[in-house]
Amino acid sequence: MTVGTSLTAHRARAANGRFMRVVSGPPAALDESGLPSDRFLDREISWLQFNERVLLLAGDPTIPLLERARYLAIFTSNLDEFFMVRVAGLKRRIATGIAVRSASGLEPREVLEQLSLVSADLLTEQARLFREEVAPALEEEGIRLVRWAELSPDEQARLGEVFRDQVFPVLTPLAVDPAHPFPYISGLSLNLAVLLVNPRTQKEHFARVKVPPLLPRLLRIEPPPGESALADLYNTRFVPLEDVIAAHLTELFPGMDVTAHFTFRVTRNEDVEVEEDDAENLLTALERELTRRRFGPPVRLEVEEDVDEDVLELLVRELGVAPNEVYHLPAPLDLRALNIIADLERSDLHFPPFMARTNPDLAPTESAKARDIFASIRKQDVLLQHPYDSFSTSVQAFIEQAAADPRVLAIKQTLYRTSGDSPIVDALIDAAEAGKQVLAVVEIKARFDEQNNISWARKLEHAGVHVVYGIVGLKTHAKLALVVRQEAEGLRRYCHVGTGNYNPKTARLYEDFGLLTDDETVAADLTRLFNQLSGIAPRSRFKRLLVAPRSMRSGLLERIGEQIEVERANPGTGYVGWKVNSIVDETLIDALYRASQAGVRVQLWVRGICALRPGVEGYSEHIEVRSVLGRFLEHSRVFIFGEGADAEVLIGSGDMMHRNLDRRVEALVRLTEERHIADLTSLMARGMSDDYQHFVLGPDGRWTREHLDAHGQPLPHIQDAMIDLHASRRRKARRR
């Protein structure tokens, strides 16, 4: 199935010839680089294609049903953030006159028009998938999302009690009239637009009721008193909270006749901008900006498809949205609510159970007794792959043991995103209270986690942790930890360099790598880098690290150049293989094109955005691009140069985007142990193999899903293969 063909073909082809166009006909003109001017795909449309791939999983009947419901919810969350940040950014550029063409050659207004068309098609397809495929399949399993009119009188009465006890007290109906201006509609809130008539004057009024976001969006219809809840396991029904509110509007507006009601939802610009150079206190400046975020301009209005025209006209006028920013969708709006259904404890409708285990290099056998992490690291470098290797018994245990160990003198760590009840933060606080020197480089500007990170930064400061916010003008995105320990032979430094955040919750869902080592070269590199982050330090040279913004791009370019020379010296031996979340940087893409022109084989495993156009004769015929989506989010970044014994492999935090390479502190570490290099080259070979489910990017900029074998049977998933591989390694370790 070709991504884009089934969902957006008839409109996207016409609206976006560059996006959907098959590469044919006369070649594009060459620019000053000697490469075709149309060699870059548009990054925004590429992101929509990624979310379209998520939607395809929701429509796959071979995937467990509740996981399909989860994919529908993920699609909504992803698209919300896309509008809040990327679409909002395009609108801001247009409004301020910064209408510079993107690398794809499109003006911001052209991109915005295309995004509007494609987004409308995707939202329509999401609604169709839910209504025609997922909802009926759920109903067959005894799980139903019902509307108020479908409930029995007894059920309506019981939910009426719930409304009066739990919902009514938190509602705030807001009328609109000369004495009451149109209320502020917060971003992503679900609202009821209510039409009222005064029976005495016959005058029509408009009111707005916000659906409380802190209450469950779907209310489970409990069995009658005395009936076993267990008997109801296979007859699980939910009713939308907005339906319950709508059924009781007369209690909110006594003495008025309710003539109609419609749900609507607004998306606002919620990207935060802080001018750090002008801010005396970054923490205070960011808090002010977060307050302003709630009042960002709207970028999208979602309404019920049968909304009254007069109501729609009022909303459009008062909110200040353009007609092409209005999306008419079937109720219920905001399918993030499906997460509630996806959380049902129905093991028969979920992926097979999976539990992360301790990496055998840290503990050959599972034991309730805590292992000595430091002793394991002294024995050998440990390469972790989460979630297959447990985060709690590796990285978390590493920080916790460091905090509790009296011989540990100092802990230094970066924190970009972490959970609300983070054991990592607790361990750092314990270490500081025990008198250790603790440095936390907290990135409080991590998008949509700003408020959470501010809270933890203050908590750390109050406990005596040295909290710094990195380097002015740069986000600190590197995943680094350094522990200094007094040992018999002197001070020893233990290091962790990872590809993912220090977040125990996401570590169970995100695929990431991490290296635990006491190598002196890595330790010296991390010491210099932490000194740069926390103080005034001269620019340092690193031996096993590539660090953005100074040396990551140049280091990768140098290695691509080396593979070009290898290929020229010995044709058929040049190789570049990258596993990344996104690749947008034009300089690196052009370097990969030049490598392809020289005959170097280039393999790119890209989860999300890819602005590179592969497989075009003359400049990218030796490049192939694939994507994998599954139960875990492929999040690791791996960079391989060369093959066999000559392969050089790096892992780290940085994606191939301008923000990562130019405006963030990122770090890649070079692996040195042969078994770790072999593991990652083997993983790359699996990811680019036809033996597992994957998506392939074609030269026309469209993705094709390959998930069936020659007999029409589903191909295995690489993540299932990795679960089996790690289980096999643990069994072998126990036998040893």
Side-chain angles (χ1 to χ4, degrees), residues 36 62 103 143 252 282 553 681:
T62 67
I143 303 168
L252 290 170
L282 179 58
R553 182 189 282 111
T681 54

Side-chain angles (χ1 to χ4, degrees), residues 116-157:
S116 177
L117 290 170
V118 177
S119 296
D121 280 343
L122 291 177
L123 284 165
T124 300
E125 173 63 11
Q126 181 199 26
R128 186 203 67 79
L129 270 176
F130 175 66
R131 185 175 62 251
E132 298 180 12
E133 297 186 25
V134 175
L138 288 169
E139 189 166 345
E140 289 180 8
E141 295 292 343
I143 303 168
R144 293 182 63 202
L145 180 60
V146 299
R147 308 312 298 262
W148 181 262
E150 300 175 66
L151 302 176
S152 70
D154 285 345
E155 290 168 335
Q156 290 182 351

Side-chain angles (χ1 to χ4, degrees), residues 11 41 52 58 60 80 162 216 223 239 262 289-290 352 382 423 439 516 555 564 676 693 708 726:
R11 293 168 71 178
L41 301 172
E52 189 175 23
D60 185 347
D80 287 347
V162 172
V239 62
F262 309 94
E289 190 62 28
L290 288 174
V382 179
L439 170 71
L516 288 169
I564 292 175
H676 295 160
Q693 297 184 27
L708 302 176
H726 283 262

